[in-house]
Amino acid sequence: PLPGQALVVFDPQYRLVVDVLPCEDGHAQERSLLPELLETVEAKDLWIADRNFCTVGFLFGIAKPRGKFIIRQHGNLPYTLKGRRKRVGKTETGVVYEQAMEVSNDEGNILSFRRITVVLNEATRDGDAEIHIVSNLPKRIGAIHIAELYRDRWQIETAFQEVAESLEGE
């Protein structure tokens, strides 16, 4: 049989897997599972994800039931920046800026999001000198806090690595 894969939803607060979306095609792209994943989004959920999940459909799909997100911006996301980028402070990893952005879908609907930029003290292993994070959290949640929440996402990667090693998976 061909290898399968699973898209796993992890709750970092409880360090528990809260949902698993299995896929029998181990070579399928994660993005092909996003419509099924969107069926699980509820109001007040906070989704934190890497840039592979930064699609117009996924951002709009989370926002529709009033879910919230912190997702690293993918280079293919179509957007328009609004106003000037404003420096808001520093984190352990770099200088943080914030700017408004608009994203439109194929139906012409436009949503306004926040674009948090961290100009990194050290480039990523891919050579990126800065990262951009897209969020629809309210202004009362500061840009620095959003950047730190995204950085803490790496705890999830570590947990998945431990599971993969323990189960001798990929």
Side-chain angles (χ1 to χ4, degrees):
L2 294 174
Q5 70 166 312
L7 185 58
V8 179
V9 180
F10 182 77
D11 185 327
Q13 180 179 359
Y14 299 109
R15 294 193 50 84
L16 290 172
V17 170
V18 295
D19 207 350
V20 177
L21 301 175
C23 178
E24 61 188 23
D25 182 358
H27 303 291
Q29 190 182 60
E30 285 176 325
R31 287 183 176 191
S32 67
L33 301 174
L34 294 183
E36 187 177 349
L37 183 60
L38 283 173
E39 293 175 19
T40 70
V41 175
E42 297 180 5
K44 299 184 182 179
D45 279 355
L46 174 60
W47 292 81
I48 303 174
D50 68 20
R51 62 184 156 202
N52 195 41
F53 292 83
C54 190
T55 68
V56 172
F58 196 60
L59 299 180
F60 273 68
I62 292 173
K64 185 176 181 179
R66 291 183 291 177
K68 303 298 183 197
F69 57 81
I70 298 171
I71 300 178
R72 185 169 172 189
Q73 183 180 335
H74 192 282
N76 292 336
L77 180 72
Y79 64 93
T80 303
L81 293 173
K82 298 294 180 180
R84 289 187 25 229
R85 179 167 96 163
K86 297 176 186 165
R87 181 183 168 140
V88 294
K90 288 184 175 184
T91 66
E92 188 177 304
T93 56
V95 180
V96 180
Y97 297 85
E98 182 171 358
Q99 188 168 10
M101 70 186 302
E102 289 182 346
V103 176
S104 60
N105 65 10
D106 291 339
E107 290 80 43
N109 300 310
I110 299 172
L111 290 179
S112 295
F113 301 134
R114 298 166 65 189
R115 183 183 197 221
I116 313 301
T117 299
V118 182
V119 178
L120 301 167
N121 296 332
E122 294 180 32
T124 66
R125 65 177 171 234
D126 295 331
D128 297 328
E130 59 186 32
I131 63 167
H132 306 289
I133 303 162
V134 181
S135 182
N136 66 343
L137 283 168
K139 279 282 197 188
R140 63 182 159 76
I141 311 294
I144 292 173
H145 189 62
I146 291 171
E148 290 171 344
L149 285 168
Y150 181 79
R151 186 186 71 213
D152 288 347
R153 188 189 77 75
W154 285 104
Q155 293 176 11
I156 297 167
E157 299 293 337
T158 302
F160 287 137
Q161 181 66 30
E162 291 171 6
V163 170
E165 289 173 1
S166 297
L167 299 176
E168 296 180 9
E170 293 181 20

